[in-house]
Amino acid sequence: MAGSAPGGGRPLIITEDPLLLDDLLRLCAAAGAEPHVHHGLPEQPGTVGANGVEPADPALGPEADGVAGSAGWESAPLVLVGDDAARRVRGAPRRAGVFLVGRELDDPRVWQRAVEIGAEEVLRLPDAESLLVDRIADVVEGAGRPALAVGVIGGSGGAGASTLACALALRAARTGERTILIDGDPLGGGMDVLLGGESAEGLRWPDFAASRGRVGAGALEESLPELHDLRVLSWDRGDRVVVPPAAIRSVVAAARRRGGVVVVDLPRRVDEAVAEVLAQLDLVLMVVPGELRSVAAAGRVAAGVRMVARDVRVVVRGRCPGGLDPEAVAGLLGAPLAGEVPVEVGLPGRVAEGEPPGAQGRSALARFCDGFWQRALGSAQGVPA
């Protein structure tokens, strides 16, 4: 760590407490971060302390003890100030991303010290360890605007939800968006199969079954099969069809933190695992075939989804022979209409020959998807009006 200028995506730790330093270094390691450390040991500038830590530079000023005036204070994306070292940074310029960290729960003056240094939060270990790992990992991963997450669910059996989910992901990827397609239905046959990549190398859902806590966004993306310019998280051909809800929550959250677009193919049920996914989606598209029995079945599906999802909209597939137009179908279901996708003649045969849904840019399915993303990604809120 000595000899490196602080900043450059690495958090800055300021503490003279060796036990607190050990904890913070451990949490940084858990988040995949290599921090810079300012320590109050009395070595001469340019030397390295017993812990491999840069000593403070006294030439930078006694009030901030070589920290407030250093480039690291202003350039580091995250600053973790030990409660013991708050005095040292009292005169530092105010900036975002400063956290006061300690263990003492009963000291009423800690909040005063936090105000004095302009800290965003006071974090107490060990209670705040999980939160702190998340904060550090966000810095490492360059967390910015989360991905626009869209779920697709069938209002009835055979509605074509998987086909639409696949086409949406493919069309998003072809616009240059970072795209992850997640297969949320273990009994659906596999989205990798639909994309012609069942033998592609990469991890599948069962590989994440033991995940606990935070999953690295970059590591997740790199571990998944890459098919048609997008990443796919699907199921393998084994017998395992259950992944713990906590693992599902962590994986979907990691996919969203990477930015771009996340599309999830959802099963027609809402159990605990599916609820974890629904809670992280910006929008759910419910595909409803244009016939009365499907509309009736979709009403029951919509009732379950609305218990968790924040925004549910209807995509009508084909025209109702009973005279119902798409607006009437959406009205019966009590949800906004996202659009209509005509039944595409010849699509099943092309898929069987290895052409994924949405590959033909002039098809009705591709046009629907392109129009959807133009509205969704062009909206200030990230969701089409």
Side-chain angles (χ1 to χ4, degrees), residues 233-363:
L233 176 54
S234 189
W235 296 84
D236 61 15
R237 311 283 82 82
D239 295 333
R240 182 161 196 159
V241 294
V242 176
V243 171
I248 289 177
R249 178 174 63 249
S250 297
V251 169
V252 175
R256 291 205 67 202
R257 286 197 306 273
R258 198 62 171 164
V261 165
V262 173
V263 179
V264 184
D265 181 39
L266 296 163
R268 291 180 54 241
R269 66 179 187 279
V270 181
D271 55 19
E272 187 179 356
V274 175
E276 291 287 359
V277 178
L278 289 172
Q280 298 192 60
L281 299 179
D282 297 298
L283 173 66
V284 176
L285 298 177
M286 185 168 59
V287 184
V288 183
E291 56 96 10
L292 291 176
R293 288 190 65 219
S294 295
V295 175
R300 292 189 292 272
V301 175
V305 172
R306 284 197 190 98
M307 294 177 65
V308 185
R310 68 190 74 175
D311 191 348
V312 182
R313 307 189 188 189
V314 174
V315 176
V316 177
R317 184 167 174 262
R319 288 276 176 167
C320 275
L324 293 177
D325 58 23
E327 290 79 8
V329 171
L332 287 171
L333 295 172
L337 178 67
E340 177 186 4
V341 179
V343 175
E344 194 170 313
V345 178
L347 178 60
R350 295 198 300 272
V351 170
E353 293 173 359
E355 177 184 292
Q360 292 194 1
R362 295 183 180 180
S363 69

Side-chain angles (χ1 to χ4, degrees), residues 1-2 4-13 24-25 27-37 52 77 136 139-140:
M1 283 180 262
S4 300
R10 295 168 62 181
L12 173 65
I13 296 175
L24 293 178
L25 290 175
L27 297 177
C28 284
E34 182 183 358
H36 292 280
V37 181
I136 298 168
V139 169
V140 175

Side-chain angles (χ1 to χ4, degrees), residues 22-370:
D22 286 345
D23 282 340
L24 293 178
L25 290 175
R26 172 175 56 83
L27 297 177
C28 284
E34 182 183 358
H36 292 280
V37 181
H38 276 276
H39 197 284
L41 297 176
E43 286 91 345
Q44 295 300 313
T47 65
V48 178
N51 292 329
V53 173
E54 285 182 282
D57 183 354
L60 292 174
E63 175 63 25
D65 196 20
V67 176
S70 72
W73 175 266
E74 296 185 359
S75 63
L78 184 73
V79 180
L80 306 176
V81 181
D83 193 16
D84 64 289
R87 173 190 57 81
R88 292 173 51 191
V89 298
R90 201 177 333 180
R94 295 302 174 99
R95 51 152 292 169
V98 176
F99 297 88
L100 187 64
V101 188
R103 294 190 190 84
E104 181 58 53
L105 297 174
D106 300 325
D107 184 358
R109 294 172 297 175
V110 66
W111 303 105
Q112 178 182 345
R113 292 193 289 273
V115 171
E116 288 174 349
I117 68 172
E120 290 185 13
E121 291 185 54
V122 175
L123 301 177
R124 288 299 172 200
L125 304 182
D127 294 347
E129 285 194 356
S130 178
L131 173 62
L132 189 50
V133 169
D134 282 350
R135 296 280 189 174
I136 298 168
D138 282 341
V139 169
V140 175
E141 296 172 359
R145 183 174 179 177
L148 175 60
V150 178
V152 185
I153 190 168
S156 64
S162 296
T163 297
L164 179 58
C166 183
L168 282 169
L170 184 67
R171 301 309 298 179
R174 291 192 175 182
T175 68
E177 290 288 335
R178 174 186 281 121
T179 305
I180 296 181
L181 174 60
I182 297 177
D183 187 351
D185 187 357
L187 303 179
M191 296 300 289
D192 53 352
V193 176
L194 198 55
L195 285 162
E198 60 269 28
S199 61
E201 293 186 0
L203 300 185
R204 267 65 173 183
W205 265 121
D207 297 307
F208 295 96
S211 297
R212 296 292 183 270
R214 184 184 179 106
V215 174
L220 172 69
E221 183 179 20
E222 293 172 4
S223 72
L224 299 179
E226 184 174 9
L227 304 169
H228 302 279
D229 300 320
L230 58 95
R231 298 284 180 166
V232 183
L233 176 54
S234 189
W235 296 84
D236 61 15
R237 311 283 82 82
D239 295 333
R240 182 161 196 159
V241 294
V242 176
V243 171
I248 289 177
R249 178 174 63 249
S250 297
V251 169
V252 175
R256 291 205 67 202
R257 286 197 306 273
R258 198 62 171 164
V261 165
V262 173
V263 179
V264 184
D265 181 39
L266 296 163
R268 291 180 54 241
R269 66 179 187 279
V270 181
D271 55 19
E272 187 179 356
V274 175
E276 291 287 359
V277 178
L278 289 172
Q280 298 192 60
L281 299 179
D282 297 298
L283 173 66
V284 176
L285 298 177
M286 185 168 59
V287 184
V288 183
E291 56 96 10
L292 291 176
R293 288 190 65 219
S294 295
V295 175
R300 292 189 292 272
V301 175
V305 172
R306 284 197 190 98
M307 294 177 65
V308 185
R310 68 190 74 175
D311 191 348
V312 182
R313 307 189 188 189
V314 174
V315 176
V316 177
R317 184 167 174 262
R319 288 276 176 167
C320 275
L324 293 177
D325 58 23
E327 290 79 8
V329 171
L332 287 171
L333 295 172
L337 178 67
E340 177 186 4
V341 179
V343 175
E344 194 170 313
V345 178
L347 178 60
R350 295 198 300 272
V351 170
E353 293 173 359
E355 177 184 292
Q360 292 194 1
R362 295 183 180 180
S363 69
L365 181 60
R367 291 198 304 271
F368 171 86
C369 295
D370 291 345

